Every structure is written in C-alpha cells, then in structure tokens.
Amino acid sequence: MKLAYWMYAGPAHIGTLRVASSFKNVHAIMHAPLGDDYFNVMRSMLERERDFTPVTASIVDRHVLARGSQEKVVENITRKDKEEHPDLILLTPTCTSSILQEDLQNFADRAALESQSDVLLADVNHYRVNELQAADRTLEQVVRFYLEKAKKINQLPKNKTEKPSVNILGIFTLGFHNNHDCRELKRLLNDLGIEVNEVIPEGGSIQNLKNLPKAWLNIVPYREVGLMTAVYLEKEFKMPYVDLTPMGLVETAAFIREIKKILNGFDKHIQFDESLINFEEYIDKQTRFVSQAAWFSRSIDCQNLTGKKTVVFGDATHSVSMTKILTREMGLRVVCAGTYCKHDADWFREQVFGFCDEVLITDDHTQVADMIARLEPAAIFGTQMERHVGKRLDIPCGVISAPVHIQNFPLGYRPFLGYEGTNQIADLVYNSFTLGMEDHLLEIFGGHDNKEVITKSLSTDFSFQWSQDALLELGKIPGFVRGKVKRNTEKFARENGINQITIDVMYAAKESAGT
C-alpha cells in the first residue's frame, strides 16, 4: 500500500462493491473502519441513477477491537437478510480492516446458517490487487458460485438458444460510458440478427446466472473486467469469447468478423444461417453511411490535424483503442501511449507496438505529468487527471478513460463503442484541437484575453520565482505560444539550476532553443 492524494485505480474493495451493487437484489456489507465507507457517497454523486442498493458498512471501532468483530459482522448480515431479503449478501473487508487478520470466511459461514440469502466472502487479496483486478475476480467468483450451485441441483440448461445469442460481460456501475456502450452493442448485435442472452453484472439478476451457458458466445468489451469470467466459461462450458473492443472503424469491423468466424464454427446442430445477413455488406454500409468518421478524417478540417503530436494515457482498453484510432484512422502522431494497468503491461506493449513513439506503464500520476511536460503534445487524450495536467500546461485534453468526473456521466447518448461511438470519438478529437484555436482567435480579435499567466510548474523538485519584469514580458507573448515559451524557459532554468527567472534568463533560454 502507499499513501496518495490521487490514484488511477482505487483499492480492491471498491472493485468488489462496484460489481455487487451492479447486480439486482445483491447486498454488499463492507467490514471497515470509519473513513473507508465512502462508496455510497461516491456512487450517488456520479451515477445518474434514480435508485440503487446502498452498501452497508460494518464499522470497526474501539469496542469491536476490544471484543472481536464476529458478533457484529454476523449480526449485520442476518439483519440485512431479514430487512432486505437479498438473493446474495457479499462480505468484503478493506485493506485497512484486513490488518486485523480476522477469519472472515468463518464469519460468512456462520451467517449463512442463519440467513435465507446466500452469503459469500469476496475472495480478493487486498494487498496485491487494485480496484479493477478485484472487480474482475469478484465477478468471476459470483458467476462460478451460482453455476456450480445450479449444476449440483441439475438446473443448468442443456441446450443453446434457438437463435444466435451472446452474453455481454463486464458492464458495471461507475464504468466509463458503460451504459451507453452497452446500448450501442445491443443495437449492433440486433442489426446482425444476434440476441443478447444476459448482460452482467449491470442490471443482471443472480437468479439468471444459470442461463449464461445458453448463449453461443461471450463478448468482453473491456479487458479490465469480464475477462476472467469469459475464460472460466470457456474452460467449463466450452463457450468461445470475443475480447476485441469495437472502438473505431477498424476494430469494430474486426469485432464483427470475429463474431462471424465463431458463429460459422458451430456444429450442424446449431448451425448459423449466414444467408440471414451479409456481414461484409453491413460493415460497408455502417462505415460509409452511419459512421461519419470515415469521410470526416479525409476532410480538410481533419487534414489540418495530420501529424500533430498527441499523448494517450488511461486504462489498457481505451488507451490501446485510442492510440490505434489516432494513428491509423485520423493521421495523428502519438508520441507516447501509456496505461496505469501495470498488470496488463505485456498485452499493452504488444498492442501499441508500431503505433506510438514510446510507451509509459505507471500508476504514478507525477510521472505522467512530467512526461507530458517533456513531450509538449498538441493535445492529450487521457483521464480526468491528465485533463488537470493539461490545464496547467495550456494543453487541451479529451477524456477517454476512467478515473472520471461527473461530466463523464452524461444524460445524453454518448457511446464510445460501435459505429455511433466513432462519431463521438471524432468529435472529441477534433474539438480538443479546435478549442485551442478558439483561444488563439479570441486573443487576436478580442475576448477573454485578460487571464493571468499561469506560473505553476509540474516539477515537484523545482519551484521557480518569476520576476515582475519577466512576467510582463511573458504576458506580451501571444497566448497560443505563451505556454510553450514558459515551459521552455523553465526547462532551461531547471537544467541550469536557476530558481529566479528574469528577462535575461528568458533571452538565454530563447537563444539556447535556437529561436
């Protein structure tokens, strides 16, 4: 563990709670001290939902420490069982309460004897995994538990659905545009004549998990959550899965072709009738007439962006997809692609190879900030944390990944997947650049050009003092290059051990840069 004021992925218990609260009629009980029980507040602030099942906190206080937690935990479980009548109660510690080294499995087993609900302890190592890894593991654990339970009482379905069908795995609460992406996936699959069997965990029922094997295949739109479940279903029920993310024109077409390949591979008993729809015709029609990104990327507006430097950073799924879109579909140059999903570093490097100049794998936001300051891209595509970095450097940023902000839970329809998603991404990319040009035009023709020059530095090692004359000189420089001049001057001062920036230092930096 480490103490940080800003994190890309939260602690493990948040991932477990996100999965539990996504299911219908599942109640999570968090064994935690005061201070760890912020999940309800976080979710209610961000998710645009009218109703959701709150998480109950079984608080560890001085009285509990004196006599042990067992009675209190068991009492909270049985109380919620009688009050809420959930199908499942999921017990999870936090990294803080795990220090007590209590036998929570014993607590869960005892509570299960007194409850009508199923009771599970989240099987997650809170010291070794982060929020996303824990969510992936918790979803797999819940699915495994109910399929094994159905198998024991002989309630597993024997046959596949009559028509081709899929399960969508990994759509869950607080995900980046997850609900909109799910709607777009359903629309795309419906166009292809494919039914959606189950969507889990968001809006899914524990009672329906036994029906998962009825689907012909599984779809995992995001690598962060759902992949472990797909691997388990493939191993136990021989269900193939597609883990390509249909983000961008090229990958959406590849996603559809992979589904077609799997459907054509089934035996004669559930043979897919390819005559129902021509997949290639569908891809061509959607690419040319539904998605506006194909022609827009060739328009004069988008041609002006060709070759501009960009930085991409976020989770593995969205960073890889965005890197490929910017490079091969919009003609931009990705000078650095990165992810905070260190556990998926090998896959990430393999996917972005040849699409970017360099790769950064880190969960330290200061390293990302320093990288951006060093490379000075024309635009950033990252998380809300990179957006704040961009504000300090006067570099526009489009948000493409969690961690997110309230503005990333729009009421309007804004998917990032499928063909409608390509339109949203094209707008995001183009507007990220054109807004910077608006500031330039407003500066020339008059407008909000009276803002003070930002003098903060991203460096944690240097604190620069700008003289009054130097600030006045900096203020005379046109706004669209002022940030770059400031960064170059501070870079020169840092390299030469100068703390006080005067006009002479500015001229020396200019001469050093050869401009």
Side-chain angles (χ1 to χ4, degrees), residues 104-125:
L104 292 184
Q105 184 61 61
N106 180 270
F107 298 1
D109 291 341
R110 180 181 159 187
L113 297 174
E114 304 177 27
S115 303
Q116 296 297 315
S117 313
D118 293 318
V119 181
L120 274 181
L121 172 67
D123 183 19
V124 173
N125 188 320

Side-chain angles (χ1 to χ4, degrees), residues 4-135:
Y5 68 89
W6 221 352
M7 299 174 67
Y8 285 105
H13 72 274
I14 296 297
T16 293
L17 297 179
R18 286 175 64 187
V19 169
S21 60
S22 295
F23 278 113
K24 293 179 181 176
N25 205 30
V26 172
H27 199 96
I29 292 186
M30 175 174 47
H31 183 51
L34 283 171
D36 282 353
D37 56 340
Y38 55 86
F39 178 79
N40 289 332
V41 176
M42 180 176 67
R43 183 175 179 189
S44 62
M45 283 195 308
L46 295 176
E47 276 285 9
R48 305 293 184 94
E49 292 185 2
R50 299 185 182 188
D51 188 30
F52 68 90
T53 304
V55 169
T56 296
S58 181
I59 298 297
V60 178
D61 55 23
R62 58 190 178 87
H63 302 293
V64 170
L65 291 175
R67 66 176 183 266
S69 304
Q70 181 168 353
E71 293 302 324
K72 185 170 186 180
V73 171
V74 172
E75 178 188 340
N76 281 323
I77 292 175
T78 54
R79 177 171 58 85
K80 283 299 172 182
D81 173 64
K82 292 175 183 177
E83 292 175 356
E84 307 290 343
H85 306 292
D87 296 321
L88 170 66
I89 295 177
L90 190 65
L91 174 64
T92 178
T94 67
C95 52
T96 312
S97 64
S98 295
I99 296 173
L100 300 175
Q101 296 290 303
E102 295 176 300
D103 187 0
L104 292 184
Q105 184 61 61
N106 180 270
F107 298 1
D109 291 341
R110 180 181 159 187
L113 297 174
E114 304 177 27
S115 303
Q116 296 297 315
S117 313
D118 293 318
V119 181
L120 274 181
L121 172 67
D123 183 19
V124 173
N125 188 320
H126 290 260
Y127 297 116
R128 292 182 178 272
V129 300
N130 64 24
E131 174 184 350
L132 298 176
Q133 292 168 286

Side-chain angles (χ1 to χ4, degrees), residues 410-427:
L411 293 172
Y413 188 48
R414 289 192 58 194
F416 270 54
L417 303 187
Y419 289 104
E420 178 56 33
T422 64
N423 297 331
Q424 298 294 334
I425 292 169
D427 279 342

